Amino acid sequence: MFERIAPEQHDTLPDIPEPAENPILVGHDSARSMLAGAYRAGKLHHALLLAGPRGIGKATLAFHLALHLFTHPDHAMAPDNLDATDLGTQAFRLLAQGAHPGLLHLTRPYSERDKKFRTVITVDEIRRVNRFLSMTASDGGYRVVIVDPADDMNTSAANALLKNLEEPPPRTLFILIAHSFGRLLPTIRSRCQTIKLQPLGAEGLEELLHRLGMELPTGEEERRLLIERSGGSVRSAVLLTQFGGLEIAATVEKILGGRTLDVAESFRLAEATVGRDRQVQFDLFNRIALDRTADAAAQAAEDGQVEQAARLALLWEELAADTREVEVFNLDRKQHVMGTMQRLHAALGNLR
């Protein structure tokens, strides 16, 4: 039975390991080999940007690389591939617990006053980097800073990090995780070696879900839909199977497929995705709505409907902004869900 030892994060899922404590890394073989080889050759870039969709293993790869550096402080003696994680080592336990002296993990901080995680990585979090780097590593090894995800930084935080990236101390590695590459400052992107990671294939996704103990649909069609809608993201697959995501997605499609907006069905959808202990379902709804809008925009562009594609792209931006405002200002979530469905139905009506 899984027992969590890592600190809880803003996006922690029950019974699913945090990247810091996850010994399982599936896929990304070329990136893993390249990073291990660069380290062994003494040519590892001081700032890495791991970019790709959410939930494909970017942060897990970052922690595996950090553990590799801590386990092999002499790069010339390091193996030419990332080691299989040994759960019994002190380095792994310290890393998993967020207590390794060589690692600083920056993510959305928890607000004791508000009793919830903040919606951004603040400049106060980034200021911790200077204090961390002012301390000498106890064994003369690497110090690793992981920013997870970097696209959660507000402008002040991003500018503060930029100063650290410009002149890092020796034997310092920055690893930035990015779900939305384009949201990062161009000046930050230019100072990093970008490694674009691809979504997991169907085989890799099923293997990882199996190793995590997740139950997959038994029916062939249901399994196909899960793999298709997951988009190569194990996080999306877990959400779809364990938190009602498949049902939410089916309801959204049913409403959008009607010639007129089904207000009663939209109300039932809102009831199912808001309220106490429904944060995951609310996040799922917003993700599904944004993905549906993005897919429609991409299809319109492919069909040569330039104006329609532009309108849908603008709608995506507006819906994303609305979602952030609901979280920041604690607005009415039920009204948000119903309003989103109304806007989507109207925007996609001429595509049916």
Side-chain angles (χ1 to χ4, degrees):
M1 182 177 178
F2 169 68
E3 182 178 351
R4 188 177 308 286
I5 61 175
E8 184 174 324
Q9 308 295 328
H10 72 278
D11 57 355
T12 294
L13 295 177
D15 300 322
I16 300 298
E18 286 294 312
E21 63 185 343
N22 186 5
I24 306 170
L25 180 60
V26 172
H28 315 308
D29 293 344
S30 60
R32 291 155 68 177
S33 178
M34 181 274 292
L35 290 169
Y39 177 61
R40 179 178 177 129
K43 297 180 179 179
L44 190 64
H45 199 282
H46 76 276
L48 303 173
L49 175 56
L50 304 183
R54 186 187 302 268
I56 63 172
K58 301 187 299 297
T60 301
L61 174 58
F63 280 100
H64 279 232
L65 177 59
L67 183 60
H68 184 77
L69 270 58
F70 298 148
T71 305
H72 306 284
D74 182 354
H75 68 84
M77 300 297 292
D80 55 8
N81 247 307
L82 298 189
D83 297 342
T85 301
D86 185 349
L87 302 182
T89 65
Q90 183 184 30
F92 173 78
R93 290 195 301 273
L94 289 174
L95 202 70
Q97 294 167 356
H100 197 290
L103 178 81
L104 178 63
H105 180 211
L106 301 178
T107 186
R108 296 187 196 177
Y110 184 78
S111 170
E112 289 291 346
R113 185 188 66 182
D114 301 327
K115 302 301 179 185
K116 63 180 182 180
F117 287 94
R118 296 190 182 278
T119 58
V120 297
I121 297 176
T122 61
V123 68
D124 287 337
E125 286 298 293
I126 301 302
R127 285 172 181 155
R128 295 171 57 196
V129 174
N130 288 331
R131 296 193 295 272
F132 173 69
L133 296 182
S134 68
M135 298 180 289
T136 304
S138 57
D139 60 356
Y142 260 82
R143 287 164 299 179
V144 180
V145 178
I146 297 177
V147 186
D148 174 26
D151 33 329
D152 272 355
M153 292 187 294
N154 60 24
T155 303
S156 298
N159 286 324
L161 179 66
L162 183 60
K163 296 178 182 178
N164 295 118
L165 294 176
E166 288 172 341
E167 296 181 3
R171 297 180 71 76
T172 298
L173 174 64
F174 286 89
I175 308 178
L176 279 59
I177 312 298
H179 308 318
S180 302
F181 180 76
R183 288 178 58 189
L184 293 178
L185 293 176
T187 45
I188 286 182
R189 299 199 303 261
S190 68
R191 284 164 174 77
C192 299
Q193 177 186 359
T194 299
I195 302 170
K196 294 186 177 181
L197 301 181
Q198 300 302 314
L200 298 175
E203 186 176 322
L205 184 60
E206 289 197 44
E207 176 192 347
L208 188 48
L209 290 170
H210 175 74
R211 293 176 67 180
L212 289 173
M214 296 293 103
E215 292 187 8
L216 296 176
T218 55
E220 184 176 336
E221 178 63 14
E222 291 82 358
R223 187 178 292 239
R224 184 192 67 77
L225 285 174
L226 170 63
I227 298 300
E228 179 181 297
R229 287 176 174 167
S230 297
S233 164
V234 68
R235 180 180 179 83
S236 294
V238 170
L239 291 171
L240 289 169
T241 56
Q242 304 300 309
F243 295 92
L246 287 174
E247 290 81 2
I248 293 171
T251 302
V252 168
E253 287 303 318
K254 178 183 176 182
I255 295 171
L256 294 180
R259 295 190 62 83
T260 59
L261 178 67
D262 190 331
V263 177
E265 191 70 22
S266 297
F267 181 81
R268 285 190 288 270
L269 175 64
E271 288 277 295
T273 54
V274 304
R276 295 186 62 182
D277 303 322
R278 290 278 173 174
Q279 181 64 45
V280 173
Q281 286 78 7
F282 183 69
D283 291 342
L284 265 172
F285 165 76
N286 287 305
R287 183 77 52 76
I288 290 166
L290 288 172
D291 287 348
R292 185 66 174 81
T293 309
D295 290 344
Q299 186 61 55
E302 186 177 325
D303 294 342
Q305 300 175 348
V306 179
E307 292 184 1
Q308 176 73 1
R311 282 194 294 269
L312 289 169
L314 178 60
L315 177 61
W316 188 99
E317 294 287 350
E318 292 171 349
L319 293 177
D322 289 347
T323 301
R324 289 193 294 271
E325 288 185 2
V326 168
E327 293 285 1
V328 172
F329 299 111
N330 198 26
L331 302 179
D332 189 321
R333 294 188 172 195
K334 190 176 296 185
Q335 182 178 347
H336 168 77
V337 172
M338 296 190 67
T340 297
M341 291 308 303
Q342 183 179 23
R343 295 175 71 182
L344 273 179
H345 190 275
L348 303 180
N350 62 347
L351 301 180
R352 288 190 289 274

